[in-house]
Short mmCIF file of all heavy atoms in Angstrom, two decimals:
data_model
loop_
_atom_site.label_atom_id
_atom_site.label_comp_id
_atom_site.label_asym_id
_atom_site.label_seq_id
_atom_site.Cartn_x
_atom_site.Cartn_y
_atom_site.Cartn_z
N ALA I 42 0.22 -0.85 -4.33
CA ALA I 42 0.26 -0.97 -2.87
C ALA I 42 1.21 -2.08 -2.45
O ALA I 42 1.94 -1.95 -1.46
CB ALA I 42 -1.15 -1.22 -2.33
N ALA I 43 1.23 -3.17 -3.19
CA ALA I 43 2.11 -4.29 -2.88
C ALA I 43 3.58 -3.92 -3.08
O ALA I 43 4.46 -4.46 -2.41
CB ALA I 43 1.75 -5.51 -3.73
N ARG I 44 3.85 -3.00 -3.99
CA ARG I 44 5.23 -2.56 -4.24
C ARG I 44 5.66 -1.48 -3.25
O ARG I 44 6.84 -1.19 -3.12
CB ARG I 44 5.38 -2.02 -5.66
CG ARG I 44 5.37 -3.08 -6.73
CD ARG I 44 5.74 -2.52 -8.08
NE ARG I 44 4.90 -1.42 -8.50
CZ ARG I 44 3.74 -1.53 -9.17
NH1 ARG I 44 3.29 -2.73 -9.47
NH2 ARG I 44 3.06 -0.48 -9.52
N GLY I 45 4.70 -0.87 -2.57
CA GLY I 45 4.99 0.22 -1.64
C GLY I 45 5.39 -0.30 -0.27
O GLY I 45 5.67 -1.48 -0.08
N GLU I 46 5.40 0.62 0.67
CA GLU I 46 5.82 0.27 2.02
C GLU I 46 4.67 0.38 3.02
O GLU I 46 4.91 0.48 4.22
CB GLU I 46 6.98 1.16 2.44
CG GLU I 46 8.20 0.95 1.57
CD GLU I 46 9.36 1.83 1.99
OE1 GLU I 46 9.32 2.43 3.08
OE2 GLU I 46 10.32 1.91 1.22
N GLY I 47 3.45 0.35 2.54
CA GLY I 47 2.31 0.44 3.44
C GLY I 47 2.18 -0.80 4.31
O GLY I 47 2.46 -1.91 3.87
N ILE I 48 1.79 -0.58 5.55
CA ILE I 48 1.61 -1.71 6.47
C ILE I 48 0.28 -2.41 6.25
O ILE I 48 0.11 -3.56 6.61
CB ILE I 48 1.71 -1.25 7.94
CG1 ILE I 48 0.67 -0.17 8.23
CG2 ILE I 48 3.11 -0.78 8.26
CD1 ILE I 48 0.52 0.17 9.70
N ARG I 49 -0.65 -1.68 5.63
CA ARG I 49 -1.98 -2.22 5.41
C ARG I 49 -2.57 -1.52 4.19
O ARG I 49 -2.32 -0.35 3.95
CB ARG I 49 -2.85 -1.96 6.64
CG ARG I 49 -4.29 -2.35 6.49
CD ARG I 49 -5.10 -2.10 7.77
NE ARG I 49 -4.59 -2.94 8.83
CZ ARG I 49 -4.08 -2.49 9.99
NH1 ARG I 49 -4.03 -1.21 10.23
NH2 ARG I 49 -3.63 -3.32 10.89
N THR I 50 -3.34 -2.28 3.43
CA THR I 50 -4.09 -1.70 2.32
C THR I 50 -5.57 -1.90 2.62
O THR I 50 -6.00 -3.01 2.90
CB THR I 50 -3.73 -2.37 0.98
OG1 THR I 50 -2.34 -2.11 0.71
CG2 THR I 50 -4.56 -1.81 -0.16
N VAL I 51 -6.30 -0.80 2.59
CA VAL I 51 -7.74 -0.84 2.82
C VAL I 51 -8.43 -0.54 1.51
O VAL I 51 -8.14 0.48 0.86
CB VAL I 51 -8.17 0.20 3.88
CG1 VAL I 51 -9.69 0.24 4.03
CG2 VAL I 51 -7.49 -0.10 5.22
N VAL I 52 -9.33 -1.43 1.10
CA VAL I 52 -10.13 -1.19 -0.09
C VAL I 52 -11.54 -0.86 0.38
O VAL I 52 -12.23 -1.71 0.96
CB VAL I 52 -10.15 -2.40 -1.05
CG1 VAL I 52 -11.05 -2.12 -2.25
CG2 VAL I 52 -8.73 -2.72 -1.52
N ASP I 53 -11.93 0.39 0.18
CA ASP I 53 -13.26 0.86 0.58
C ASP I 53 -14.25 0.48 -0.51
O ASP I 53 -14.25 1.07 -1.59
CB ASP I 53 -13.22 2.36 0.80
CG ASP I 53 -14.57 2.94 1.19
OD1 ASP I 53 -15.55 2.17 1.35
OD2 ASP I 53 -14.64 4.18 1.34
N LEU I 54 -15.09 -0.51 -0.23
CA LEU I 54 -16.08 -0.99 -1.20
C LEU I 54 -17.47 -0.42 -0.94
O LEU I 54 -18.43 -0.86 -1.56
CB LEU I 54 -16.13 -2.53 -1.16
CG LEU I 54 -14.86 -3.27 -1.55
CD1 LEU I 54 -15.03 -4.77 -1.34
CD2 LEU I 54 -14.48 -2.97 -2.99
N SER I 55 -17.57 0.55 -0.04
CA SER I 55 -18.89 1.07 0.32
C SER I 55 -19.59 1.75 -0.85
O SER I 55 -20.82 1.84 -0.87
CB SER I 55 -18.79 2.04 1.50
OG SER I 55 -18.02 3.17 1.17
N GLY I 56 -18.85 2.18 -1.85
CA GLY I 56 -19.44 2.83 -3.01
C GLY I 56 -19.66 1.90 -4.19
O GLY I 56 -20.08 2.33 -5.26
N VAL I 57 -19.38 0.61 -4.02
CA VAL I 57 -19.57 -0.36 -5.11
C VAL I 57 -21.02 -0.80 -5.12
O VAL I 57 -21.55 -1.30 -4.13
CB VAL I 57 -18.62 -1.57 -4.95
CG1 VAL I 57 -18.91 -2.63 -6.00
CG2 VAL I 57 -17.17 -1.11 -5.04
N THR I 58 -21.67 -0.61 -6.26
CA THR I 58 -23.09 -0.93 -6.39
C THR I 58 -23.33 -2.36 -6.84
O THR I 58 -24.37 -2.94 -6.56
CB THR I 58 -23.76 0.02 -7.40
OG1 THR I 58 -23.04 -0.04 -8.64
CG2 THR I 58 -23.75 1.45 -6.87
N PHE I 59 -22.36 -2.93 -7.55
CA PHE I 59 -22.49 -4.30 -8.05
C PHE I 59 -21.09 -4.86 -8.26
O PHE I 59 -20.18 -4.14 -8.64
CB PHE I 59 -23.26 -4.33 -9.38
CG PHE I 59 -23.37 -5.71 -9.96
CD1 PHE I 59 -24.29 -6.62 -9.46
CD2 PHE I 59 -22.52 -6.12 -10.98
CE1 PHE I 59 -24.37 -7.91 -9.98
CE2 PHE I 59 -22.60 -7.40 -11.51
CZ PHE I 59 -23.53 -8.29 -11.01
N ALA I 60 -20.93 -6.16 -7.99
CA ALA I 60 -19.65 -6.82 -8.22
C ALA I 60 -19.91 -8.26 -8.67
O ALA I 60 -20.91 -8.86 -8.30
CB ALA I 60 -18.82 -6.81 -6.95
N ASP I 61 -19.01 -8.78 -9.49
CA ASP I 61 -19.13 -10.17 -9.95
C ASP I 61 -17.78 -10.86 -9.79
O ASP I 61 -16.91 -10.38 -9.05
CB ASP I 61 -19.68 -10.26 -11.37
CG ASP I 61 -18.74 -9.72 -12.44
OD1 ASP I 61 -17.58 -9.36 -12.12
OD2 ASP I 61 -19.15 -9.66 -13.61
N SER I 62 -17.59 -11.96 -10.49
CA SER I 62 -16.36 -12.73 -10.36
C SER I 62 -15.12 -11.93 -10.74
O SER I 62 -14.02 -12.22 -10.27
CB SER I 62 -16.43 -14.01 -11.19
OG SER I 62 -16.59 -13.71 -12.57
N THR I 63 -15.28 -10.91 -11.56
CA THR I 63 -14.16 -10.04 -11.90
C THR I 63 -13.62 -9.39 -10.64
O THR I 63 -12.41 -9.35 -10.42
CB THR I 63 -14.60 -8.96 -12.91
OG1 THR I 63 -15.08 -9.58 -14.08
CG2 THR I 63 -13.46 -8.01 -13.24
N ALA I 64 -14.50 -8.90 -9.80
CA ALA I 64 -14.10 -8.26 -8.54
C ALA I 64 -13.37 -9.26 -7.66
O ALA I 64 -12.33 -8.94 -7.07
CB ALA I 64 -15.33 -7.71 -7.82
N LEU I 65 -13.92 -10.45 -7.56
CA LEU I 65 -13.28 -11.47 -6.72
C LEU I 65 -11.88 -11.80 -7.21
O LEU I 65 -10.94 -11.92 -6.42
CB LEU I 65 -14.13 -12.74 -6.70
CG LEU I 65 -15.49 -12.62 -6.02
CD1 LEU I 65 -16.26 -13.92 -6.16
CD2 LEU I 65 -15.34 -12.22 -4.57
N HIS I 66 -11.73 -11.94 -8.52
CA HIS I 66 -10.42 -12.25 -9.10
C HIS I 66 -9.41 -11.15 -8.78
O HIS I 66 -8.28 -11.43 -8.34
CB HIS I 66 -10.53 -12.45 -10.61
CG HIS I 66 -9.23 -12.65 -11.28
ND1 HIS I 66 -8.51 -13.83 -11.20
CD2 HIS I 66 -8.47 -11.80 -12.01
CE1 HIS I 66 -7.38 -13.69 -11.87
NE2 HIS I 66 -7.33 -12.48 -12.36
N VAL I 67 -9.80 -9.91 -8.99
CA VAL I 67 -8.90 -8.77 -8.74
C VAL I 67 -8.52 -8.71 -7.26
O VAL I 67 -7.34 -8.54 -6.91
CB VAL I 67 -9.55 -7.45 -9.20
CG1 VAL I 67 -8.76 -6.25 -8.73
CG2 VAL I 67 -9.69 -7.43 -10.72
N LEU I 68 -9.49 -8.89 -6.38
CA LEU I 68 -9.21 -8.81 -4.94
C LEU I 68 -8.37 -9.99 -4.46
O LEU I 68 -7.46 -9.81 -3.63
CB LEU I 68 -10.52 -8.72 -4.16
CG LEU I 68 -11.29 -7.41 -4.35
CD1 LEU I 68 -12.68 -7.51 -3.74
CD2 LEU I 68 -10.52 -6.23 -3.77
N LEU I 69 -8.64 -11.18 -4.95
CA LEU I 69 -7.83 -12.34 -4.57
C LEU I 69 -6.38 -12.19 -5.02
O LEU I 69 -5.44 -12.48 -4.27
CB LEU I 69 -8.43 -13.63 -5.14
CG LEU I 69 -9.68 -14.14 -4.44
CD1 LEU I 69 -10.36 -15.21 -5.30
CD2 LEU I 69 -9.34 -14.69 -3.07
N GLU I 70 -6.19 -11.73 -6.24
CA GLU I 70 -4.83 -11.53 -6.76
C GLU I 70 -4.13 -10.42 -5.98
O GLU I 70 -2.95 -10.53 -5.64
CB GLU I 70 -4.87 -11.20 -8.25
CG GLU I 70 -3.51 -11.02 -8.88
CD GLU I 70 -2.64 -12.25 -8.89
OE1 GLU I 70 -3.14 -13.37 -8.64
OE2 GLU I 70 -1.42 -12.12 -9.12
N GLY I 71 -4.86 -9.35 -5.68
CA GLY I 71 -4.28 -8.27 -4.89
C GLY I 71 -3.88 -8.74 -3.50
O GLY I 71 -2.81 -8.41 -2.99
N GLN I 72 -4.74 -9.54 -2.88
CA GLN I 72 -4.44 -10.08 -1.56
C GLN I 72 -3.18 -10.96 -1.61
O GLN I 72 -2.34 -10.89 -0.71
CB GLN I 72 -5.63 -10.87 -1.04
CG GLN I 72 -5.43 -11.41 0.36
CD GLN I 72 -6.63 -12.18 0.85
OE1 GLN I 72 -7.16 -13.02 0.14
NE2 GLN I 72 -7.07 -11.86 2.05
N ARG I 73 -3.05 -11.76 -2.64
CA ARG I 73 -1.88 -12.62 -2.80
C ARG I 73 -0.60 -11.78 -2.89
O ARG I 73 0.39 -12.06 -2.22
CB ARG I 73 -2.03 -13.50 -4.03
CG ARG I 73 -0.91 -14.52 -4.21
CD ARG I 73 -0.98 -15.23 -5.55
NE ARG I 73 -0.73 -14.36 -6.68
CZ ARG I 73 0.47 -13.88 -7.04
NH1 ARG I 73 1.53 -14.18 -6.33
NH2 ARG I 73 0.59 -13.10 -8.10
N LYS I 74 -0.63 -10.75 -3.71
CA LYS I 74 0.55 -9.89 -3.89
C LYS I 74 0.89 -9.14 -2.61
O LYS I 74 2.06 -9.00 -2.25
CB LYS I 74 0.32 -8.91 -5.03
CG LYS I 74 0.37 -9.57 -6.39
CD LYS I 74 0.15 -8.57 -7.50
CE LYS I 74 0.20 -9.27 -8.85
NZ LYS I 74 -0.04 -8.34 -9.96
N LEU I 75 -0.13 -8.65 -1.92
CA LEU I 75 0.11 -7.92 -0.67
C LEU I 75 0.68 -8.84 0.40
O LEU I 75 1.61 -8.46 1.11
CB LEU I 75 -1.19 -7.27 -0.19
CG LEU I 75 -1.61 -6.03 -0.99
CD1 LEU I 75 -3.08 -5.72 -0.76
CD2 LEU I 75 -0.73 -4.85 -0.63
N ALA I 76 0.14 -10.05 0.50
CA ALA I 76 0.66 -11.01 1.49
C ALA I 76 2.13 -11.34 1.20
O ALA I 76 2.95 -11.42 2.12
CB ALA I 76 -0.19 -12.27 1.49
N ALA I 77 2.46 -11.50 -0.07
CA ALA I 77 3.84 -11.79 -0.46
C ALA I 77 4.77 -10.64 -0.09
O ALA I 77 5.95 -10.85 0.19
CB ALA I 77 3.92 -12.10 -1.95
N ALA I 78 4.22 -9.42 -0.08
CA ALA I 78 5.01 -8.24 0.27
C ALA I 78 5.00 -7.96 1.77
O ALA I 78 5.60 -6.99 2.23
CB ALA I 78 4.46 -7.02 -0.48
N GLY I 79 4.29 -8.80 2.54
CA GLY I 79 4.24 -8.63 3.98
C GLY I 79 3.21 -7.60 4.44
O GLY I 79 3.30 -7.08 5.54
N SER I 80 2.25 -7.31 3.61
CA SER I 80 1.21 -6.34 3.93
C SER I 80 -0.13 -7.04 4.10
O SER I 80 -0.31 -8.19 3.71
CB SER I 80 1.13 -5.29 2.82
OG SER I 80 0.24 -4.25 3.18
N THR I 81 -1.08 -6.33 4.66
CA THR I 81 -2.41 -6.86 4.95
C THR I 81 -3.45 -6.15 4.09
O THR I 81 -3.37 -4.94 3.88
CB THR I 81 -2.76 -6.63 6.43
OG1 THR I 81 -1.74 -7.22 7.23
CG2 THR I 81 -4.09 -7.22 6.79
N LEU I 82 -4.44 -6.89 3.62
CA LEU I 82 -5.56 -6.33 2.87
C LEU I 82 -6.80 -6.40 3.74
O LEU I 82 -7.12 -7.44 4.31
CB LEU I 82 -5.81 -7.10 1.58
CG LEU I 82 -7.04 -6.68 0.77
CD1 LEU I 82 -6.88 -5.26 0.24
CD2 LEU I 82 -7.28 -7.66 -0.38
N VAL I 83 -7.50 -5.26 3.86
CA VAL I 83 -8.77 -5.20 4.59
C VAL I 83 -9.80 -4.59 3.65
O VAL I 83 -9.55 -3.55 3.03
CB VAL I 83 -8.66 -4.34 5.87
CG1 VAL I 83 -9.99 -4.30 6.60
CG2 VAL I 83 -7.56 -4.87 6.78
N LEU I 84 -10.96 -5.24 3.55
CA LEU I 84 -12.06 -4.72 2.74
C LEU I 84 -13.03 -4.00 3.67
O LEU I 84 -13.49 -4.57 4.67
CB LEU I 84 -12.77 -5.87 2.01
CG LEU I 84 -11.87 -6.75 1.14
CD1 LEU I 84 -12.70 -7.83 0.46
CD2 LEU I 84 -11.11 -5.92 0.12
N ALA I 85 -13.32 -2.75 3.35
CA ALA I 85 -14.16 -1.92 4.21
C ALA I 85 -15.52 -1.67 3.57
O ALA I 85 -15.65 -1.57 2.36
CB ALA I 85 -13.48 -0.59 4.50
N GLY I 86 -16.51 -1.56 4.42
CA GLY I 86 -17.88 -1.30 3.99
C GLY I 86 -18.38 -0.03 4.64
O GLY I 86 -17.57 0.81 5.01
N PRO I 87 -19.67 0.08 4.75
CA PRO I 87 -20.64 -1.02 4.62
C PRO I 87 -20.80 -1.46 3.17
O PRO I 87 -20.73 -0.64 2.25
CB PRO I 87 -21.94 -0.42 5.17
CG PRO I 87 -21.78 1.06 5.00
CD PRO I 87 -20.31 1.35 5.12
N LEU I 88 -21.00 -2.75 3.00
CA LEU I 88 -21.16 -3.33 1.66
C LEU I 88 -22.63 -3.30 1.26
O LEU I 88 -23.51 -3.51 2.09
CB LEU I 88 -20.67 -4.77 1.64
CG LEU I 88 -19.22 -5.03 2.04
CD1 LEU I 88 -18.93 -6.53 1.99
CD2 LEU I 88 -18.26 -4.26 1.17
N SER I 89 -22.87 -3.10 -0.03
CA SER I 89 -24.23 -3.22 -0.54
C SER I 89 -24.66 -4.68 -0.39
O SER I 89 -23.82 -5.58 -0.26
CB SER I 89 -24.31 -2.79 -2.01
OG SER I 89 -23.69 -3.76 -2.83
N THR I 90 -25.95 -4.91 -0.40
CA THR I 90 -26.47 -6.27 -0.26
C THR I 90 -25.92 -7.19 -1.33
O THR I 90 -25.51 -8.32 -1.05
CB THR I 90 -28.01 -6.26 -0.30
OG1 THR I 90 -28.48 -5.41 0.74
CG2 THR I 90 -28.58 -7.65 -0.12
N SER I 91 -25.87 -6.72 -2.58
CA SER I 91 -25.40 -7.59 -3.67
C SER I 91 -23.92 -7.91 -3.54
O SER I 91 -23.49 -9.03 -3.83
CB SER I 91 -25.70 -6.97 -5.04
OG SER I 91 -24.98 -5.77 -5.22
N VAL I 92 -23.12 -6.96 -3.09
CA VAL I 92 -21.68 -7.21 -2.92
C VAL I 92 -21.45 -8.16 -1.75
O VAL I 92 -20.68 -9.12 -1.85
CB VAL I 92 -20.91 -5.89 -2.74
CG1 VAL I 92 -19.45 -6.15 -2.40
CG2 VAL I 92 -21.03 -5.03 -3.99
#
Side-chain angles (χ1 to χ4, degrees):
R44 287 189 304 272
E46 296 180 13
I48 57 169
R49 174 178 296 120
T50 297
V51 175
V52 178
D53 179 3
L54 297 175
S55 64
V57 174
T58 55
F59 178 78
D61 68 6
S62 61
T63 301
L65 294 176
H66 175 75
V67 170
L68 292 170
L69 285 166
E70 182 64 14
Q72 183 180 48
R73 185 188 67 74
K74 287 180 180 179
L75 286 162
S80 186
T81 304
L82 175 66
V83 180
L84 305 181
L88 302 179
S89 72
T90 302
S91 65
V92 173

